[in-house]
Amino acid sequence: MRKPFYKASHKAYYVHHNGKAVKLGKTESEAMAAWAALQGVEPAAQPEQPTANGRTLGAVIDEWLGMVKRDKSAATYASYQRYATAWKDKHGNLSAADIRPKHIRDLIVDNYTAQENGEPFSGSVRAQAEKVTLGIFAWAFKEELIERNTVKGYERKAEFGKRKGWINDEQYAKLLAVCSDECFRDLLEVLWLTGARPFEIFQVERRHLDRANRRLVLRRADGDKVKAKPRQKDASRTIYLSERAFAIISRLADHYEAGVLFRNRIGQRWTNGSTSGRMVNLTTASGVRCQTTGEAPTIYNLRHSFATLGATVRNIDIATMAKLLGHKSTKMLLEIYDHRGDDSTFMLGALKLVA
């Protein structure tokens, strides 16, 4: 069998097998493992060995991930592991001492320019990749795993910018109009009507529903995932429900006595990955694009929309909106989610109060 080859236009490795080009993977390590499987042999082990110039980057990353897994939350570990693995796949066999700022720039260009569906990665994704990379080297230097931080002079190019992606009521109606999947429709409606974070709704079970007060209550002490500092063992999140959202969740709670309420058509729990493809299909069919940015909306943009429309159209005061979104103060809302300055109708309407 021929050796694998890299197809730049598809950013993936392929091999000719039985007269066809077979995709093996996006990284060299994935490709070699898949190639070995096609040949019916075990992939050759490639242990991380120290180089003449010290520890390999892969070895440093493994130790750093061990620290993250031990000291951070499971969600943080999963996020950091994704970015660290991209580093390891690309430059894991190089000595950590040989890594320079140029290697970071190359990683960003090669791995975080465009997604598989052709949409560009957000600035926040690129900024997170930079943050994780710089964090690895800063930690390794502090722990004396490397003699000096060779990427300390790297200038960040990406920013965790203002979340500008949002849609209006008319655009939301267009999305729903092309959604034939009732299970996904339930999820979209509740996210739109509550402004909740997707991961919060993904985990909702019957036990979380407080029917008397028409709300959902998640508690870290009960094993629920709640956005708060790790040391806050008693952290909780209350999600208040509109009449429509309450009706949907009550119906699902009556149907599912145990387990999560929001499931896809084959009974599996929703995830960011399983919803992304469906959102791409809906935005393609409806032609809906985010206000201001022109990007295809994601399920998280429904939260941004809730905040923006609450302040500009629904006349919800900023303090109440912060509570509905699960923030302890209005600072986050004003800095990240407030798009009133982008809405000409709202801003010109405000001027009517000026003599």
Side-chain angles (χ1 to χ4, degrees):
M1 186 185 298
R2 286 174 154 184
K3 290 185 177 180
F5 61 92
Y6 186 73
K7 197 170 184 178
S9 61
H10 290 63
K11 295 183 178 180
Y13 288 86
Y14 287 79
V15 69
H16 288 295
H17 180 56
N18 293 333
K20 297 181 179 180
V22 179
K23 184 178 179 180
L24 298 175
K26 300 188 72 172
T27 66
E28 186 175 1
S29 59
E30 287 178 351
M32 296 308 291
W35 185 45
L38 279 176
Q39 299 176 90
V41 298
E42 292 294 325
Q46 298 179 347
E48 299 287 352
Q49 297 292 340
T51 68
N53 201 15
R55 294 171 184 262
T56 63
L57 177 62
V60 169
I61 287 174
D62 285 342
E63 294 201 43
W64 178 78
L65 283 174
M67 176 277 297
V68 173
K69 190 171 186 178
R70 182 182 66 250
D71 298 341
K72 307 292 183 181
S73 69
T76 297
Y77 173 74
S79 173
Y80 285 6
Q81 183 186 41
R82 181 167 61 252
Y83 294 104
T85 299
W87 252 119
K88 189 174 178 181
D89 287 340
K90 192 170 185 65
H91 296 304
N93 291 326
L94 294 182
S95 167
D98 291 335
I99 300 297
R100 297 291 185 269
K102 179 184 183 302
H103 291 96
I104 300 179
R105 290 192 291 271
D106 290 345
L107 177 77
I108 298 298
V109 170
D110 293 345
N111 291 60
Y112 301 106
T113 297
Q115 303 178 57
E116 290 186 4
N117 61 13
E119 292 289 335
F121 279 103
S122 68
S124 293
V125 169
R126 295 162 71 92
Q128 183 72 348
E130 292 178 332
K131 174 187 173 182
V132 169
T133 298
L134 297 177
I136 291 170
F137 280 86
W139 174 84
F141 177 70
K142 180 181 178 181
E143 295 294 314
E144 299 183 349
L145 298 179
I146 53 178
E147 293 185 359
R148 69 187 185 92
N149 187 344
T150 59
V151 300
K152 190 174 183 179
Y154 176 81
E155 295 183 8
R156 293 192 184 189
K157 302 297 182 182
E159 296 181 355
F160 293 99
K162 182 177 180 181
R163 296 171 185 172
K164 295 183 178 180
W166 62 282
I167 60 175
N168 59 30
D169 288 302
E170 182 181 357
Q171 291 175 304
Y172 168 68
K174 288 182 178 179
L175 284 179
L176 279 192
V178 296
C179 182
S180 59
D181 183 339
E182 292 184 5
C183 297
F184 192 48
R185 188 186 182 95
D186 284 342
L187 178 68
L188 291 180
E189 287 199 71
V190 170
L191 289 173
W192 176 261
L193 295 168
T194 63
R197 301 175 181 91
F199 80 80
E200 293 170 339
I201 298 302
F202 290 163
Q203 65 183 310
V204 167
E205 299 181 15
R206 183 176 182 174
R207 62 185 175 86
H208 296 122
L209 179 58
D210 176 0
R211 293 178 188 263
N213 294 295
R214 215 169 74 186
R215 63 186 184 179
L216 300 169
V217 183
L218 307 175
R219 296 183 179 86
R220 179 173 285 173
D222 294 336
D224 303 326
K225 182 180 178 182
V226 176
K227 189 174 179 64
K229 294 181 179 180
R231 64 175 178 272
Q232 292 180 257
K233 304 300 182 184
D234 61 344
S236 65
R237 165 75 162 117
T238 300
I239 302 169
Y240 291 93
L241 306 173
S242 68
E243 289 186 10
R244 174 60 182 162
F246 180 66
I248 292 172
I249 290 178
S250 295
R251 167 169 53 80
L252 295 175
D254 290 338
H255 183 71
Y256 296 114
E257 293 186 2
V260 296
L261 300 186
F262 291 89
R263 312 180 189 191
N264 62 22
R265 286 181 291 187
I266 59 175
Q268 295 180 333
R269 171 178 176 160
W270 290 108
T271 64
N272 286 327
S274 62
T275 60
S276 61
R278 283 174 170 78
M279 282 300 292
V280 169
N281 293 337
L282 293 186
T283 54
T284 299
S286 65
V288 170
R289 310 293 288 189
C290 285
Q291 300 284 330
T292 307
T293 65
E295 298 174 344
T298 66
I299 57 171
Y300 208 98
N301 290 126
L302 301 183
R303 175 174 167 83
H304 304 170
S305 305
F306 182 88
T308 301
L309 297 176
T312 60
V313 176
R314 297 164 186 159
N315 296 318
I316 302 175
D317 68 86
I318 203 76
T320 301
M321 181 60 64
K323 296 298 183 182
L324 289 172
L325 290 169
H327 294 299
K328 293 186 179 299
S329 72
T330 61
K331 181 180 178 181
M332 178 74 166
L333 184 62
L334 289 169
E335 292 182 353
I336 303 298
Y337 294 104
D338 184 22
H339 306 289
R340 287 177 293 185
D342 300 330
D343 190 322
S344 297
T345 301
F346 177 85
M347 299 303 287
L348 292 174
L351 288 176
K352 292 180 182 179
L353 302 176
V354 180

